C-alpha cells in the first residue's frame, strides 16, 4: 500500500511517499481502507520533535483521523462488517492514518452516520472530541438546555469551530473570537457574537462567562476576570504557566483546566448524533491528495486554517459521497 512516512525529525520536508506492507488487524481491530484523513497540529508537532519525549518510533506514518471502509476484521470483533463506512481517531503513538490502509480499534471507531461524507467524517474525530471533552467533562457544559454563557477563543479553527457548534447545540449562548476574516463564519456556526481579536479591547462588555474555551493562545490570565465565580477556563494547549496555575490552586474561584483528548467511540457517537440532528458540521478549509501531505501540513502550520485540512487518501473521488 502507499503511505506517507518519515524516518527522522523535521518539518514537512521529511515526509516521503513509500510502499508499506498492508497492516494485519489484531484482536479487537479493524483494517480500514482509508478514503480520507485529516491533519491535526499534533501530526507535525510530533514529527518536529518539540514534544519529545513523546516520540514516534521511526519510520512513522502520521495521521490520527481516518474515514473509510472496513476491509478486514480481527478476532473478537462484533458489530462491524467488511464494507461498512467508519471513522475514528486511531492510534495513540502509533498513528498510521496517512496510508491507504490503517488499523482502528473498535473501542474508538463508529459507523458513519447517514448523509456524512468521508471528507467530513475524517475531520471530526480528534478535533471534535477535544472540543466535546473540554466543554462537557472539564468545564461542565450542560449538554441539554444549557443556560451557560461560553466564550470560544480560536472559534474558526479545527477544535474551535466544533466547540462553537457543540455549545450552541447544548443551548448555551456562545461568543466566538476569531480574526475579522472569519467572524461571519463564526456567526453562521451559531455564535451570538463574533469578536475580531485584532480590535483593541474587543472583549470589553462581554463578561461574565461560565466557560472560556481557549484553543489558540496561552494567555489564560486575560480571561480569568471575564469568568463568573465558579466559571471555568479550559484549554487543549496548556503552557507551563497554565499547568502551574491549575496545580497550585485547584480550589480557586475560577478553575483553570487542561484537556488531553481520550479517544473513545462513545464520544464520537455523541458528535455523530449532533451531525444527524443537523447541529454539527465539518467546515473544510482545504483538501490535498495523499502525496501532497507536506502541503497539507504547511497549511496547518500556517495557523490560518479555517476548520479542517482534509487529505484525500484514496483519490478515487469517493470522499464526497454521502453515507447511505
Ligand atoms: N490537548 C489535546 O488533546 C489537543 C487536541 C487537539 C488539539 N490540540 C491543540 O489545540 C490547538 C488548536 O488546534 P486546532 O486544530 O484547532 O488548530 P488550527 O485549526 O490550526 O487553528 C487555526 C485557527 O486558529 C485561528 N487563530 C489564530 N490565532 C488566533 C488568535 N489569536 N485568536 C483566535 N483565533 C486565532 C486561526 O484563525 P485566523 O486566521 O482568523 O487567525 C485559524 O482559524 C493546537 O495547538 C493543537 O495542537 C490539543
Amino acid at each position: 500500500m502507499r503511505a506517507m512516512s518519515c524516518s527522522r525529525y523535521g518539518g514537512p520536508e521529511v515526509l516521503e511517499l513509500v510502499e508499506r506492507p498492508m497492516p494485519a488487524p489484531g484482536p479487537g481491530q479493524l483494517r480500514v481502507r482509508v478514503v480520507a484523513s485529516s491533519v491535526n497540529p499534533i501530526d507535525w508537532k510530533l514529527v518536529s520533535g518539540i514534544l519529545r519525549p513523546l516520540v514516534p518510533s521511526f519510520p512513522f506514518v502520521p495521521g490520527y483521523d481516518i474515514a473509510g471502509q472496513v476491509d478486514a476484521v480481527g478476532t473478537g470483533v462484533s458489530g462491524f462488517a467488511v464494507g461498512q463506512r467508519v471513522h475514528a481517531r486511531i492510534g495513540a503513538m502509533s498513528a498510521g492514518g496517512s496510508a491507504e490502509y490503517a488499523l482502528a480499534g473498535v473501542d474508538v471507531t463508529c459507523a458513519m452516520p447517514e448523509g456524512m461524507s468521508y471528507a467530513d467524517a475524517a475531520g471530526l474525530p480528534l478535533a471534535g472530541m477535544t472540543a466535546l471533552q473540554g466543554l462537557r467533562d472539564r468545564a461542565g457544559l450542560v449538554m441539554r438546555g444549557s443556560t451557560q454563557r461560553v466564550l470560544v477563543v480560536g472559534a474558526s479553527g479545527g477544535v474551535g469551530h466544533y466547540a462553537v457548534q457543540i455549545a450552541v447545540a447544548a443551548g448555551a449562548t456562545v461568543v466566538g473570537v476569531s480574526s475579522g476574516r472569519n467572524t461571519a463564519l463564526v456567526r453562521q456556526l451559531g455564535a451570538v457574537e463574533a469578536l475580531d481579536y485584532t480590535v483593541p479591547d474587543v472583549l470589553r462588555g462581554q463578561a461574565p462567562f461560565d466557560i472560556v474555551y481557549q484553543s489558540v493562545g496561552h494567555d489564560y490570565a486575560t480571561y480569568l476576570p471575564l469568568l463568573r465565580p465558579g466559571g471555568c477556563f479550559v484549554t487543549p494547549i496548556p503552557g507551563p504557566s497554565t499547568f502551574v496555575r491549575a496545580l497550585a490552586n485547584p480550589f480557586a474561584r475560577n478553575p483553570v483546566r487542561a484537556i488531553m483528548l481520550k479517544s473513545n467511540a462513545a464520544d464520537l457517537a455523541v458528535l455523530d448524533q449532533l451531525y444527524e440532528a443537523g447541529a454539527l458540521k465539518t467546515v473544510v478549509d482545504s483538501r490535498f491528495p495523499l502525496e501532497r501531505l507536506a502541503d497539507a501540513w504547511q497549511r496547518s502550520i500556517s495557523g490560518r486554517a479555517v476548520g479542517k485540512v482534509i487529505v484525500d487518501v484514496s483519490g478515487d473521488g469517493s470522499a464526497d459521497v454521502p453515507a447511505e
Side-chain angles (χ1 to χ4, degrees), residues 41 45 126 130 154 156 158-159 179 181-182 197 215-216 236-237 259 261 303-305:
K45 287 181 186 178
L126 192 154
T130 303
S156 57
V159 174
S179 73
R181 280 188 302 276
N182 296 319
Y197 62 75
S215 62
V216 179
I237 40 166
I259 157 75
L261 168 66
R304 298 279 83 84

mmCIF file with all atom_site columns, all heavy atoms in Angstrom, residues 41 45 126 130 154 156 158-159 179 181-182 197 215-216 236-237 259 261 303-305, ligand 1:
data_model
loop_
_atom_site.group_PDB
_atom_site.id
_atom_site.type_symbol
_atom_site.label_atom_id
_atom_site.label_alt_id
_atom_site.label_comp_id
_atom_site.label_asym_id
_atom_site.label_entity_id
_atom_site.label_seq_id
_atom_site.pdbx_PDB_ins_code
_atom_site.Cartn_x
_atom_site.Cartn_y
_atom_site.Cartn_z
_atom_site.occupancy
_atom_site.B_iso_or_equiv
_atom_site.pdbx_formal_charge
_atom_site.auth_seq_id
_atom_site.auth_comp_id
_atom_site.auth_asym_id
_atom_site.auth_atom_id
_atom_site.pdbx_PDB_model_num
ATOM   1   N N   . PRO A 1 41  ? -2.711  19.568 14.293 1.00 0.00 ? 41  PRO A N   1
ATOM   2   C CA  . PRO A 1 41  ? -1.386  20.095 14.630 1.00 0.00 ? 41  PRO A CA  1
ATOM   3   C C   . PRO A 1 41  ? -0.476  19.081 15.332 1.00 0.00 ? 41  PRO A C   1
ATOM   4   O O   . PRO A 1 41  ? 0.739   19.121 15.154 1.00 0.00 ? 41  PRO A O   1
ATOM   5   C CB  . PRO A 1 41  ? -1.710  21.284 15.542 1.00 0.00 ? 41  PRO A CB  1
ATOM   6   C CG  . PRO A 1 41  ? -3.037  21.776 15.031 1.00 0.00 ? 41  PRO A CG  1
ATOM   7   C CD  . PRO A 1 41  ? -3.789  20.528 14.656 1.00 0.00 ? 41  PRO A CD  1
ATOM   8   N N   . LYS A 1 45  ? 3.592   18.498 14.990 1.00 0.00 ? 45  LYS A N   1
ATOM   9   C CA  . LYS A 1 45  ? 4.326   18.782 16.236 1.00 0.00 ? 45  LYS A CA  1
ATOM   10  C C   . LYS A 1 45  ? 5.135   17.563 16.678 1.00 0.00 ? 45  LYS A C   1
ATOM   11  O O   . LYS A 1 45  ? 6.284   17.690 17.102 1.00 0.00 ? 45  LYS A O   1
ATOM   12  C CB  . LYS A 1 45  ? 3.355   19.185 17.351 1.00 0.00 ? 45  LYS A CB  1
ATOM   13  C CG  . LYS A 1 45  ? 2.763   20.576 17.186 1.00 0.00 ? 45  LYS A CG  1
ATOM   14  C CD  . LYS A 1 45  ? 1.831   20.915 18.345 1.00 0.00 ? 45  LYS A CD  1
ATOM   15  C CE  . LYS A 1 45  ? 1.129   22.239 18.121 1.00 0.00 ? 45  LYS A CE  1
ATOM   16  N NZ  . LYS A 1 45  ? 0.174   22.567 19.212 1.00 0.00 ? 45  LYS A NZ  1
ATOM   17  N N   . LEU A 1 126 ? -10.728 13.725 16.085 1.00 0.00 ? 126 LEU A N   1
ATOM   18  C CA  . LEU A 1 126 ? -9.789  14.272 17.069 1.00 0.00 ? 126 LEU A CA  1
ATOM   19  C C   . LEU A 1 126 ? -10.208 15.667 17.545 1.00 0.00 ? 126 LEU A C   1
ATOM   20  O O   . LEU A 1 126 ? -10.324 15.921 18.752 1.00 0.00 ? 126 LEU A O   1
ATOM   21  C CB  . LEU A 1 126 ? -8.372  14.287 16.488 1.00 0.00 ? 126 LEU A CB  1
ATOM   22  C CG  . LEU A 1 126 ? -7.226  14.566 17.473 1.00 0.00 ? 126 LEU A CG  1
ATOM   23  C CD1 . LEU A 1 126 ? -5.915  13.958 16.986 1.00 0.00 ? 126 LEU A CD1 1
ATOM   24  C CD2 . LEU A 1 126 ? -7.024  16.039 17.771 1.00 0.00 ? 126 LEU A CD2 1
ATOM   25  N N   . THR A 1 130 ? -11.971 16.649 21.205 1.00 0.00 ? 130 THR A N   1
ATOM   26  C CA  . THR A 1 130 ? -11.230 17.589 22.065 1.00 0.00 ? 130 THR A CA  1
ATOM   27  C C   . THR A 1 130 ? -12.144 18.739 22.484 1.00 0.00 ? 130 THR A C   1
ATOM   28  O O   . THR A 1 130 ? -12.111 19.193 23.639 1.00 0.00 ? 130 THR A O   1
ATOM   29  C CB  . THR A 1 130 ? -9.998  18.126 21.325 1.00 0.00 ? 130 THR A CB  1
ATOM   30  O OG1 . THR A 1 130 ? -9.189  17.025 20.916 1.00 0.00 ? 130 THR A OG1 1
ATOM   31  C CG2 . THR A 1 130 ? -9.185  19.060 22.202 1.00 0.00 ? 130 THR A CG2 1
ATOM   32  N N   . GLY A 1 154 ? -10.414 31.166 19.342 1.00 0.00 ? 154 GLY A N   1
ATOM   33  C CA  . GLY A 1 154 ? -9.927  30.270 18.293 1.00 0.00 ? 154 GLY A CA  1
ATOM   34  C C   . GLY A 1 154 ? -11.111 29.626 17.587 1.00 0.00 ? 154 GLY A C   1
ATOM   35  O O   . GLY A 1 154 ? -11.036 28.497 17.111 1.00 0.00 ? 154 GLY A O   1
ATOM   36  N N   . SER A 1 156 ? -12.583 29.762 14.805 1.00 0.00 ? 156 SER A N   1
ATOM   37  C CA  . SER A 1 156 ? -12.599 29.342 13.401 1.00 0.00 ? 156 SER A CA  1
ATOM   38  C C   . SER A 1 156 ? -11.695 28.147 13.147 1.00 0.00 ? 156 SER A C   1
ATOM   39  O O   . SER A 1 156 ? -11.656 27.632 12.023 1.00 0.00 ? 156 SER A O   1
ATOM   40  C CB  . SER A 1 156 ? -12.158 30.509 12.501 1.00 0.00 ? 156 SER A CB  1
ATOM   41  O OG  . SER A 1 156 ? -10.876 30.959 12.897 1.00 0.00 ? 156 SER A OG  1
ATOM   42  N N   . GLY A 1 158 ? -9.837  24.192 13.828 1.00 0.00 ? 158 GLY A N   1
ATOM   43  C CA  . GLY A 1 158 ? -10.364 22.830 13.828 1.00 0.00 ? 158 GLY A CA  1
ATOM   44  C C   . GLY A 1 158 ? -11.123 22.521 15.099 1.00 0.00 ? 158 GLY A C   1
ATOM   45  O O   . GLY A 1 158 ? -12.282 22.091 15.067 1.00 0.00 ? 158 GLY A O   1
ATOM   46  N N   . VAL A 1 159 ? -10.496 22.720 16.238 1.00 0.00 ? 159 VAL A N   1
ATOM   47  C CA  . VAL A 1 159 ? -11.162 22.456 17.516 1.00 0.00 ? 159 VAL A CA  1
ATOM   48  C C   . VAL A 1 159 ? -12.247 23.502 17.771 1.00 0.00 ? 159 VAL A C   1
ATOM   49  O O   . VAL A 1 159 ? -13.375 23.171 18.152 1.00 0.00 ? 159 VAL A O   1
ATOM   50  C CB  . VAL A 1 159 ? -10.130 22.464 18.669 1.00 0.00 ? 159 VAL A CB  1
ATOM   51  C CG1 . VAL A 1 159 ? -10.834 22.343 20.022 1.00 0.00 ? 159 VAL A CG1 1
ATOM   52  C CG2 . VAL A 1 159 ? -9.112  21.341 18.493 1.00 0.00 ? 159 VAL A CG2 1
ATOM   53  N N   . SER A 1 179 ? -10.280 36.103 13.858 1.00 0.00 ? 179 SER A N   1
ATOM   54  C CA  . SER A 1 179 ? -9.912  37.334 13.150 1.00 0.00 ? 179 SER A CA  1
ATOM   55  C C   . SER A 1 179 ? -11.136 37.828 12.383 1.00 0.00 ? 179 SER A C   1
ATOM   56  O O   . SER A 1 179 ? -12.108 37.082 12.177 1.00 0.00 ? 179 SER A O   1
ATOM   57  C CB  . SER A 1 179 ? -8.750  37.082 12.185 1.00 0.00 ? 179 SER A CB  1
ATOM   58  O OG  . SER A 1 179 ? -9.213  36.341 11.082 1.00 0.00 ? 179 SER A OG  1
ATOM   59  N N   . ARG A 1 181 ? -11.559 38.164 9.360  1.00 0.00 ? 181 ARG A N   1
ATOM   60  C CA  . ARG A 1 181 ? -11.818 37.345 8.164  1.00 0.00 ? 181 ARG A CA  1
ATOM   61  C C   . ARG A 1 181 ? -12.880 36.289 8.434  1.00 0.00 ? 181 ARG A C   1
ATOM   62  O O   . ARG A 1 181 ? -13.585 35.864 7.537  1.00 0.00 ? 181 ARG A O   1
ATOM   63  C CB  . ARG A 1 181 ? -10.536 36.592 7.756  1.00 0.00 ? 181 ARG A CB  1
ATOM   64  C CG  . ARG A 1 181 ? -9.512  37.352 7.003  1.00 0.00 ? 181 ARG A CG  1
ATOM   65  C CD  . ARG A 1 181 ? -8.412  36.382 6.518  1.00 0.00 ? 181 ARG A CD  1
ATOM   66  N NE  . ARG A 1 181 ? -7.761  35.649 7.610  1.00 0.00 ? 181 ARG A NE  1
ATOM   67  C CZ  . ARG A 1 181 ? -6.767  36.107 8.334  1.00 0.00 ? 181 ARG A CZ  1
ATOM   68  N NH1 . ARG A 1 181 ? -6.295  37.313 8.082  1.00 0.00 ? 181 ARG A NH1 1
ATOM   69  N NH2 . ARG A 1 181 ? -6.230  35.393 9.300  1.00 0.00 ? 181 ARG A NH2 1
ATOM   70  N N   . ASN A 1 182 ? -12.943 35.829 9.690  1.00 0.00 ? 182 ASN A N   1
ATOM   71  C CA  . ASN A 1 182 ? -13.759 34.646 9.984  1.00 0.00 ? 182 ASN A CA  1
ATOM   72  C C   . ASN A 1 182 ? -14.962 34.913 10.875 1.00 0.00 ? 182 ASN A C   1
ATOM   73  O O   . ASN A 1 182 ? -15.645 33.969 11.274 1.00 0.00 ? 182 ASN A O   1
ATOM   74  C CB  . ASN A 1 182 ? -12.869 33.573 10.627 1.00 0.00 ? 182 ASN A CB  1
ATOM   75  C CG  . ASN A 1 182 ? -11.791 33.101 9.674  1.00 0.00 ? 182 ASN A CG  1
ATOM   76  O OD1 . ASN A 1 182 ? -12.058 32.917 8.491  1.00 0.00 ? 182 ASN A OD1 1
ATOM   77  N ND2 . ASN A 1 182 ? -10.575 32.954 10.167 1.00 0.00 ? 182 ASN A ND2 1
ATOM   78  N N   . TYR A 1 197 ? -10.237 39.531 17.055 1.00 0.00 ? 197 TYR A N   1
ATOM   79  C CA  . TYR A 1 197 ? -9.168  39.697 18.048 1.00 0.00 ? 197 TYR A CA  1
ATOM   80  C C   . TYR A 1 197 ? -8.160  40.787 17.686 1.00 0.00 ? 197 TYR A C   1
ATOM   81  O O   . TYR A 1 197 ? -7.322  41.148 18.504 1.00 0.00 ? 197 TYR A O   1
ATOM   82  C CB  . TYR A 1 197 ? -8.447  38.373 18.343 1.00 0.00 ? 197 TYR A CB  1
ATOM   83  C CG  . TYR A 1 197 ? -7.721  37.737 17.159 1.00 0.00 ? 197 TYR A CG  1
ATOM   84  C CD1 . TYR A 1 197 ? -6.516  38.232 16.661 1.00 0.00 ? 197 TYR A CD1 1
ATOM   85  C CD2 . TYR A 1 197 ? -8.225  36.588 16.562 1.00 0.00 ? 197 TYR A CD2 1
ATOM   86  C CE1 . TYR A 1 197 ? -5.860  37.635 15.603 1.00 0.00 ? 197 TYR A CE1 1
ATOM   87  C CE2 . TYR A 1 197 ? -7.571  35.973 15.497 1.00 0.00 ? 197 TYR A CE2 1
ATOM   88  C CZ  . TYR A 1 197 ? -6.387  36.504 15.025 1.00 0.00 ? 197 TYR A CZ  1
ATOM   89  O OH  . TYR A 1 197 ? -5.746  35.909 13.966 1.00 0.00 ? 197 TYR A OH  1
ATOM   90  N N   . SER A 1 215 ? -8.709  27.586 22.457 1.00 0.00 ? 215 SER A N   1
ATOM   91  C CA  . SER A 1 215 ? -7.991  26.580 21.674 1.00 0.00 ? 215 SER A CA  1
ATOM   92  C C   . SER A 1 215 ? -6.776  27.165 20.960 1.00 0.00 ? 215 SER A C   1
ATOM   93  O O   . SER A 1 215 ? -5.956  26.414 20.436 1.00 0.00 ? 215 SER A O   1
ATOM   94  C CB  . SER A 1 215 ? -8.927  25.912 20.660 1.00 0.00 ? 215 SER A CB  1
ATOM   95  O OG  . SER A 1 215 ? -9.426  26.860 19.750 1.00 0.00 ? 215 SER A OG  1
ATOM   96  N N   . VAL A 1 216 ? -6.661  28.481 20.927 1.00 0.00 ? 216 VAL A N   1
ATOM   97  C CA  . VAL A 1 216 ? -5.484  29.120 20.333 1.00 0.00 ? 216 VAL A CA  1
ATOM   98  C C   . VAL A 1 216 ? -4.980  30.173 21.319 1.00 0.00 ? 216 VAL A C   1
ATOM   99  O O   . VAL A 1 216 ? -5.764  31.009 21.777 1.00 0.00 ? 216 VAL A O   1
ATOM   100 C CB  . VAL A 1 216 ? -5.816  29.792 18.989 1.00 0.00 ? 216 VAL A CB  1
ATOM   101 C CG1 . VAL A 1 216 ? -4.586  30.471 18.401 1.00 0.00 ? 216 VAL A CG1 1
ATOM   102 C CG2 . VAL A 1 216 ? -6.373  28.775 17.993 1.00 0.00 ? 216 VAL A CG2 1
ATOM   103 N N   . PRO A 1 236 ? -6.865  23.125 25.399 1.00 0.00 ? 236 PRO A N   1
ATOM   104 C CA  . PRO A 1 236 ? -6.152  21.917 24.977 1.00 0.00 ? 236 PRO A CA  1
ATOM   105 C C   . PRO A 1 236 ? -4.657  22.153 24.800 1.00 0.00 ? 236 PRO A C   1
ATOM   106 O O   . PRO A 1 236 ? -3.932  21.228 24.447 1.00 0.00 ? 236 PRO A O   1
ATOM   107 C CB  . PRO A 1 236 ? -6.813  21.591 23.631 1.00 0.00 ? 236 PRO A CB  1
ATOM   108 C CG  . PRO A 1 236 ? -7.222  22.921 23.088 1.00 0.00 ? 236 PRO A CG  1
ATOM   109 C CD  . PRO A 1 236 ? -7.528  23.810 24.261 1.00 0.00 ? 236 PRO A CD  1
ATOM   110 N N   . ILE A 1 237 ? -4.203  23.380 24.999 1.00 0.00 ? 237 ILE A N   1
ATOM   111 C CA  . ILE A 1 237 ? -2.775  23.688 24.800 1.00 0.00 ? 237 ILE A CA  1
ATOM   112 C C   . ILE A 1 237 ? -2.219  24.383 26.044 1.00 0.00 ? 237 ILE A C   1
ATOM   113 O O   . ILE A 1 237 ? -1.822  25.551 25.993 1.00 0.00 ? 237 ILE A O   1
ATOM   114 C CB  . ILE A 1 237 ? -2.546  24.544 23.541 1.00 0.00 ? 237 ILE A CB  1
ATOM   115 C CG1 . ILE A 1 237 ? -3.646  25.609 23.397 1.00 0.00 ? 237 ILE A CG1 1
ATOM   116 C CG2 . ILE A 1 237 ? -2.411  23.702 22.305 1.00 0.00 ? 237 ILE A CG2 1
ATOM   117 C CD1 . ILE A 1 237 ? -3.332  26.691 22.415 1.00 0.00 ? 237 ILE A CD1 1
ATOM   118 N N   . ILE A 1 259 ? -7.211  20.067 28.848 1.00 0.00 ? 259 ILE A N   1
ATOM   119 C CA  . ILE A 1 259 ? -7.888  18.893 28.294 1.00 0.00 ? 259 ILE A CA  1
ATOM   120 C C   . ILE A 1 259 ? -6.868  18.098 27.478 1.00 0.00 ? 259 ILE A C   1
ATOM   121 O O   . ILE A 1 259 ? -6.173  18.655 26.631 1.00 0.00 ? 259 ILE A O   1
ATOM   122 C CB  . ILE A 1 259 ? -9.124  19.277 27.441 1.00 0.00 ? 259 ILE A CB  1
ATOM   123 C CG1 . ILE A 1 259 ? -9.500  18.187 26.419 1.00 0.00 ? 259 ILE A CG1 1
ATOM   124 C CG2 . ILE A 1 259 ? -8.945  20.566 26.680 1.00 0.00 ? 259 ILE A CG2 1
ATOM   125 C CD1 . ILE A 1 259 ? -10.145 17.015 27.013 1.00 0.00 ? 259 ILE A CD1 1
ATOM   126 N N   . LEU A 1 261 ? -7.091  14.864 25.116 1.00 0.00 ? 261 LEU A N   1
ATOM   127 C CA  . LEU A 1 261 ? -8.095  14.011 24.476 1.00 0.00 ? 261 LEU A CA  1
ATOM   128 C C   . LEU A 1 261 ? -7.941  12.544 24.867 1.00 0.00 ? 261 LEU A C   1
ATOM   129 O O   . LEU A 1 261 ? -6.829  12.000 24.844 1.00 0.00 ? 261 LEU A O   1
ATOM   130 C CB  . LEU A 1 261 ? -7.954  14.132 22.948 1.00 0.00 ? 261 LEU A CB  1
ATOM   131 C CG  . LEU A 1 261 ? -8.734  13.090 22.138 1.00 0.00 ? 261 LEU A CG  1
ATOM   132 C CD1 . LEU A 1 261 ? -10.228 13.274 22.308 1.00 0.00 ? 261 LEU A CD1 1
ATOM   133 C CD2 . LEU A 1 261 ? -8.331  13.156 20.689 1.00 0.00 ? 261 LEU A CD2 1
ATOM   134 N N   . GLY A 1 303 ? -1.261  28.226 10.666 1.00 0.00 ? 303 GLY A N   1
ATOM   135 C CA  . GLY A 1 303 ? -2.127  28.744 11.725 1.00 0.00 ? 303 GLY A CA  1
ATOM   136 C C   . GLY A 1 303 ? -3.344  29.479 11.207 1.00 0.00 ? 303 GLY A C   1
ATOM   137 O O   . GLY A 1 303 ? -4.089  30.086 11.970 1.00 0.00 ? 303 GLY A O   1
ATOM   138 N N   . ARG A 1 304 ? -3.586  29.412 9.910  1.00 0.00 ? 304 ARG A N   1
ATOM   139 C CA  . ARG A 1 304 ? -4.691  30.162 9.287  1.00 0.00 ? 304 ARG A CA  1
ATOM   140 C C   . ARG A 1 304 ? -5.814  29.253 8.815  1.00 0.00 ? 304 ARG A C   1
ATOM   141 O O   . ARG A 1 304 ? -6.783  29.732 8.239  1.00 0.00 ? 304 ARG A O   1
ATOM   142 C CB  . ARG A 1 304 ? -4.165  30.970 8.081  1.00 0.00 ? 304 ARG A CB  1
ATOM   143 C CG  . ARG A 1 304 ? -3.128  32.006 8.408  1.00 0.00 ? 304 ARG A CG  1
ATOM   144 C CD  . ARG A 1 304 ? -3.738  33.294 8.930  1.00 0.00 ? 304 ARG A CD  1
ATOM   145 N NE  . ARG A 1 304 ? -4.062  33.290 10.341 1.00 0.00 ? 304 ARG A NE  1
ATOM   146 C CZ  . ARG A 1 304 ? -3.224  33.551 11.334 1.00 0.00 ? 304 ARG A CZ  1
ATOM   147 N NH1 . ARG A 1 304 ? -1.969  33.823 11.078 1.00 0.00 ? 304 ARG A NH1 1
ATOM   148 N NH2 . ARG A 1 304 ? -3.621  33.542 12.597 1.00 0.00 ? 304 ARG A NH2 1
ATOM   149 N N   . ALA A 1 305 ? -5.697  27.947 9.032  1.00 0.00 ? 305 ALA A N   1
ATOM   150 C CA  . ALA A 1 305 ? -6.745  27.039 8.526  1.00 0.00 ? 305 ALA A CA  1
ATOM   151 C C   . ALA A 1 305 ? -8.080  27.378 9.167  1.00 0.00 ? 305 ALA A C   1
ATOM   152 O O   . ALA A 1 305 ? -8.162  27.636 10.371 1.00 0.00 ? 305 ALA A O   1
ATOM   153 C CB  . ALA A 1 305 ? -6.375  25.593 8.822  1.00 0.00 ? 305 ALA A CB  1
HETATM 154 N N1  . LIG B 2 .   ? -4.663  18.545 24.222 1.00 0.00 ? 1   LIG B N1  1
HETATM 155 C C1  . LIG B 2 .   ? -5.216  17.880 23.217 1.00 0.00 ? 1   LIG B C1  1
HETATM 156 O O1  . LIG B 2 .   ? -5.644  16.710 23.382 1.00 0.00 ? 1   LIG B O1  1
HETATM 157 C C2  . LIG B 2 .   ? -5.363  18.576 21.885 1.00 0.00 ? 1   LIG B C2  1
HETATM 158 C C3  . LIG B 2 .   ? -6.224  18.035 20.932 1.00 0.00 ? 1   LIG B C3  1
HETATM 159 C C4  . LIG B 2 .   ? -6.421  18.751 19.750 1.00 0.00 ? 1   LIG B C4  1
HETATM 160 C C5  . LIG B 2 .   ? -5.728  19.919 19.502 1.00 0.00 ? 1   LIG B C5  1
HETATM 161 N N2  . LIG B 2 .   ? -4.847  20.369 20.433 1.00 0.00 ? 1   LIG B N2  1
HETATM 162 C C6  . LIG B 2 .   ? -4.129  21.631 20.201 1.00 0.00 ? 1   LIG B C6  1
HETATM 163 O O2  . LIG B 2 .   ? -5.110  22.661 20.106 1.00 0.00 ? 1   LIG B O2  1
HETATM 164 C C7  . LIG B 2 .   ? -4.629  23.707 19.276 1.00 0.00 ? 1   LIG B C7  1
HETATM 165 C C8  . LIG B 2 .   ? -5.696  24.099 18.286 1.00 0.00 ? 1   LIG B C8  1
HETATM 166 O O3  . LIG B 2 .   ? -5.862  23.061 17.349 1.00 0.00 ? 1   LIG B O3  1
HETATM 167 P P1  . LIG B 2 .   ? -6.695  23.330 16.035 1.00 0.00 ? 1   LIG B P1  1
HETATM 168 O O4  . LIG B 2 .   ? -6.715  22.071 15.240 1.00 0.00 ? 1   LIG B O4  1
HETATM 169 O O5  . LIG B 2 .   ? -7.968  24.000 16.364 1.00 0.00 ? 1   LIG B O5  1
HETATM 170 O O6  . LIG B 2 .   ? -5.741  24.409 15.318 1.00 0.00 ? 1   LIG B O6  1
HETATM 171 P P2  . LIG B 2 .   ? -5.953  25.152 13.936 1.00 0.00 ? 1   LIG B P2  1
HETATM 172 O O7  . LIG B 2 .   ? -7.178  24.652 13.259 1.00 0.00 ? 1   LIG B O7  1
HETATM 173 O O8  . LIG B 2 .   ? -4.680  25.052 13.180 1.00 0.00 ? 1   LIG B O8  1
HETATM 174 O O9  . LIG B 2 .   ? -6.170  26.679 14.362 1.00 0.00 ? 1   LIG B O9  1
HETATM 175 C C9  . LIG B 2 .   ? -6.141  27.608 13.339 1.00 0.00 ? 1   LIG B C9  1
HETATM 176 C C10 . LIG B 2 .   ? -7.165  28.705 13.614 1.00 0.00 ? 1   LIG B C10 1
HETATM 177 O O10 . LIG B 2 .   ? -6.741  29.492 14.725 1.00 0.00 ? 1   LIG B O10 1
HETATM 178 C C11 . LIG B 2 .   ? -7.174  30.821 14.492 1.00 0.00 ? 1   LIG B C11 1
HETATM 179 N N3  . LIG B 2 .   ? -6.352  31.764 15.258 1.00 0.00 ? 1   LIG B N3  1
HETATM 180 C C12 . LIG B 2 .   ? -5.037  32.009 15.116 1.00 0.00 ? 1   LIG B C12 1
HETATM 181 N N4  . LIG B 2 .   ? -4.632  32.947 16.020 1.00 0.00 ? 1   LIG B N4  1
HETATM 182 C C13 . LIG B 2 .   ? -5.738  33.267 16.756 1.00 0.00 ? 1   LIG B C13 1
HETATM 183 C C14 . LIG B 2 .   ? -5.976  34.143 17.851 1.00 0.00 ? 1   LIG B C14 1
HETATM 184 N N5  . LIG B 2 .   ? -5.002  34.896 18.372 1.00 0.00 ? 1   LIG B N5  1
HETATM 185 N N6  . LIG B 2 .   ? -7.214  34.200 18.369 1.00 0.00 ? 1   LIG B N6  1
HETATM 186 C C15 . LIG B 2 .   ? -8.220  33.458 17.864 1.00 0.00 ? 1   LIG B C15 1
HETATM 187 N N7  . LIG B 2 .   ? -8.061  32.612 16.814 1.00 0.00 ? 1   LIG B N7  1
HETATM 188 C C16 . LIG B 2 .   ? -6.831  32.515 16.272 1.00 0.00 ? 1   LIG B C16 1
HETATM 189 C C17 . LIG B 2 .   ? -6.994  30.986 13.008 1.00 0.00 ? 1   LIG B C17 1
HETATM 190 O O11 . LIG B 2 .   ? -7.877  31.970 12.530 1.00 0.00 ? 1   LIG B O11 1
HETATM 191 P P3  . LIG B 2 .   ? -7.332  33.372 11.930 1.00 0.00 ? 1   LIG B P3  1
HETATM 192 O O12 . LIG B 2 .   ? -6.558  33.036 10.713 1.00 0.00 ? 1   LIG B O12 1
HETATM 193 O O13 . LIG B 2 .   ? -8.583  34.110 11.674 1.00 0.00 ? 1   LIG B O13 1
HETATM 194 O O14 . LIG B 2 .   ? -6.465  33.978 12.994 1.00 0.00 ? 1   LIG B O14 1
HETATM 195 C C18 . LIG B 2 .   ? -7.351  29.619 12.445 1.00 0.00 ? 1   LIG B C18 1
HETATM 196 O O15 . LIG B 2 .   ? -8.709  29.535 12.012 1.00 0.00 ? 1   LIG B O15 1
HETATM 197 C C19 . LIG B 2 .   ? -3.329  23.189 18.630 1.00 0.00 ? 1   LIG B C19 1
HETATM 198 O O16 . LIG B 2 .   ? -2.227  23.759 19.285 1.00 0.00 ? 1   LIG B O16 1
HETATM 199 C C20 . LIG B 2 .   ? -3.388  21.686 18.879 1.00 0.00 ? 1   LIG B C20 1
HETATM 200 O O17 . LIG B 2 .   ? -2.116  21.105 18.937 1.00 0.00 ? 1   LIG B O17 1
HETATM 201 C C21 . LIG B 2 .   ? -4.651  19.737 21.621 1.00 0.00 ? 1   LIG B C21 1
#
